[in-house]
Amino acid sequence: MKLKSTLLSLAVAVAFTMPIDAAQYTVPEGQPPVPGADSSIPDNAYQNYRYDKTRNILTTDHIKKLEDYNNRIDDEVLKKKVTAEQAAQLKKAYAKYLDLITHESTVILLHEGDYKAKVTLPIAVVESYFEDLDKKGKGSYVFEHSVTAGLVGANERVEDSGFNKKAQRKGEFMYSGISKGYWGIREQYANGNLPIMYAAVTFDKYPNQTYMAILGNKNQPITKNLEATMANFVIPSIQSLENLDNTSDAITWDNLTYRLPKGMTLDIVDKSDDFQGRVYVGDGMKLVVARSPLVDKGEPIQLYTQRVLNHFFYKKNPTLLKEIHLQAALVLNNGVPSYLLDQYNPGKKSRIYQLITDDKYEYYIFLTYEDDKNKYSHIELRNIMEYLDFGNAKQIRQARNKRLKK
């Protein structure tokens, strides 16, 4: 995938973002409303990874993929490569898998250096790219087959440059936690084939930083669908990460840093030649962090979903809670991808999983908790689980960026 020209254009545009439950934004007098805003959609709609009212999902494409797979499995049965029983199990697993990846979201976190922001996007991702913007900022970009999106942070207020040119701004908005917020539309970008809608904010507590969330459909004009996605899902999801230090502690295990809900303590350490694990316990909670040597060094974004298909749906991993709704998101921490699975069961046992790889290990983290029996909400716990860091994050993403630039 040759993305270099688009990426370099995006990297030149230094930019902007919003807070937890960034609800009820208002428009200053004399400003146009944010297009697509729908009062019937809750402000926290982004918290459901599968909330896809405004997504470009073609039912016909979904059906065709399922039919093609089933036909291939039937052919395998005829060739006696699999049994009829195995075929039925594979078809059932693939249907669950396809439904999951078709409706997954993407979460982008920037927390390298002084940056502390995130955004949630109701899109699936096939590639990602991370850019240091000449030491003035950082940008994390993601790509679907027909969609480009990203989160960019600048370490100073950029009042009239790149995406932030005043002539391109269409309107302003306000809500608690930000000192400035505005939206804009670029009708022609990247040689005219990538119109972009963006939202930019400055947080009250970080007055010298600006963040921007961008979303655009390739070879398509700005549509009501894109505007509604930005107004009702992306804009409310932009938030600062400042609250994480109040709810969790950062734990570093060699190259990996994960967050532990405050109040949990280390209970068990397990170690062998090919497996290492840690178990933490707390009020109504148990967190398991395990790792084993990395076997497959393929593209993580594809490997994660294949692991879900093979080990969760086909082999019926016993850690998966039965009959509990499953939703998923690709999570990019400073450009390094992981995969989060969420089984929230209000008032009952719930579980959050995180699949991770770096250049040496495969990690598997899962949090089991009794909802309402600890001091944290479901979303607070999921925010804690989303956050990861890597000692060699720059090396990991440089290898990925190099491949994309070829």
Side-chain angles (χ1 to χ4, degrees), residues 386-402:
E386 286 176 346
Y387 182 104
L388 297 169
D389 204 1
F390 302 84
N392 66 341
K394 290 184 179 181
Q395 290 89 336
I396 294 174
R397 66 192 185 220
Q398 281 173 357
R400 304 187 76 250
N401 289 358
K402 184 178 181 180

Side-chain angles (χ1 to χ4, degrees), residues 96 101 104 139 188-189 215 224 238 293 322 331 334 349 355 383 391 398 406:
K96 292 181 179 179
I101 65 171
E104 72 187 30
Q188 290 188 335
Y189 190 71
L215 183 64
K224 291 182 179 179
I238 306 169
K322 293 182 179 180
V331 183
N334 300 326
K349 180 185 287 188
L355 307 179
N383 288 343
Q398 281 173 357
K406 289 181 179 179

Side-chain angles (χ1 to χ4, degrees), residues 281-352:
V281 294
D283 292 341
M285 297 184 291
K286 181 171 78 170
L287 180 72
V288 176
V289 184
R291 75 182 186 189
S292 59
L294 181 64
V295 176
D296 194 334
K297 296 188 177 181
E299 169 55 40
I301 293 177
Q302 279 76 48
L303 289 178
Y304 292 141
T305 53
Q306 286 299 314
R307 286 169 66 186
V308 171
L309 172 60
N310 294 328
H311 299 295
F312 283 80
F313 294 151
Y314 180 64
K315 294 182 180 178
K316 297 182 179 179
N317 191 304
T319 62
L320 198 67
L321 296 175
K322 293 182 179 180
E323 308 303 326
I324 304 303
H325 181 67
L326 183 66
Q327 55 178 337
L330 182 75
V331 183
L332 290 117
N333 282 272
N334 300 326
V336 182
S338 63
Y339 200 71
L340 190 143
L341 297 159
D342 185 8
Q343 284 191 296
Y344 176 49
N345 193 16
K348 299 180 180 180
K349 180 185 287 188
S350 301
R351 192 165 283 164
I352 303 173

Side-chain angles (χ1 to χ4, degrees), residues 109-324:
L109 297 93
L110 289 179
H111 48 82
E112 200 170 64
D114 295 331
Y115 298 99
K116 293 182 177 70
K118 63 179 279 189
V119 67
T120 302
L121 302 153
I123 61 172
V125 167
V126 295
E127 295 283 7
S128 66
Y129 186 89
F130 190 93
E131 187 76 24
D132 285 303
L133 303 173
D134 298 325
K135 298 182 180 180
K136 294 181 179 179
K138 298 181 185 296
S140 186
Y141 309 101
V142 293
F143 308 90
E144 202 176 16
H145 296 293
S146 61
V147 178
T148 295
L151 175 63
V152 184
N155 58 16
E156 59 185 23
R157 276 193 168 180
V158 184
E159 293 298 336
D160 194 23
S161 64
F163 268 95
N164 200 23
K165 289 184 180 296
K166 293 180 180 178
Q168 297 166 2
R169 300 179 194 175
K170 302 295 183 181
E172 298 181 8
F173 54 82
M174 302 181 298
Y175 65 79
S176 176
I178 67 168
S179 57
K180 181 182 292 186
Y182 57 86
W183 61 274
I185 291 175
R186 292 281 299 270
E187 295 289 354
Q188 290 188 335
Y189 190 71
N191 298 322
N193 65 357
L194 183 62
I196 289 286
M197 184 170 178
Y198 64 89
V201 302
T202 300
F203 295 116
D204 289 342
K205 293 192 176 182
Y206 306 111
N208 296 320
Q209 293 177 335
T210 51
Y211 296 92
M212 175 183 280
I214 62 173
L215 183 64
N217 295 321
K218 299 174 187 176
N219 301 312
Q220 294 183 34
I222 300 295
T223 63
K224 291 182 179 179
N225 185 52
L226 175 62
E227 293 171 343
T229 300
M230 284 293 296
N232 301 297
F233 302 93
V234 179
I235 288 177
S237 80
I238 306 169
Q239 57 191 260
S240 165
L241 300 178
E242 62 180 307
N243 193 50
L244 280 174
D245 288 334
N246 297 325
T247 59
S248 62
D249 298 310
I251 306 295
T252 298
W253 186 9
D254 296 335
N255 188 50
L256 175 69
T257 296
Y258 53 92
R259 300 198 76 98
L260 185 70
K262 285 185 180 294
M264 298 193 78
T265 58
L266 183 62
D267 183 49
I268 300 173
V269 176
D270 189 6
K271 186 175 182 180
S272 64
D273 291 339
D274 58 357
F275 176 86
Q276 300 173 54
R278 300 175 174 185
V279 179
Y280 300 87
V281 294
D283 292 341
M285 297 184 291
K286 181 171 78 170
L287 180 72
V288 176
V289 184
R291 75 182 186 189
S292 59
L294 181 64
V295 176
D296 194 334
K297 296 188 177 181
E299 169 55 40
I301 293 177
Q302 279 76 48
L303 289 178
Y304 292 141
T305 53
Q306 286 299 314
R307 286 169 66 186
V308 171
L309 172 60
N310 294 328
H311 299 295
F312 283 80
F313 294 151
Y314 180 64
K315 294 182 180 178
K316 297 182 179 179
N317 191 304
T319 62
L320 198 67
L321 296 175
K322 293 182 179 180
E323 308 303 326
I324 304 303

Side-chain angles (χ1 to χ4, degrees), residues 20-21 46-48 342 377-384:
I20 290 178
D21 294 331
Y46 69 90
Q47 293 179 358
N48 185 341
D342 185 8
S377 69
H378 162 239
I379 293 303
E380 285 177 321
L381 291 172
R382 198 176 74 183
N383 288 343
I384 291 169

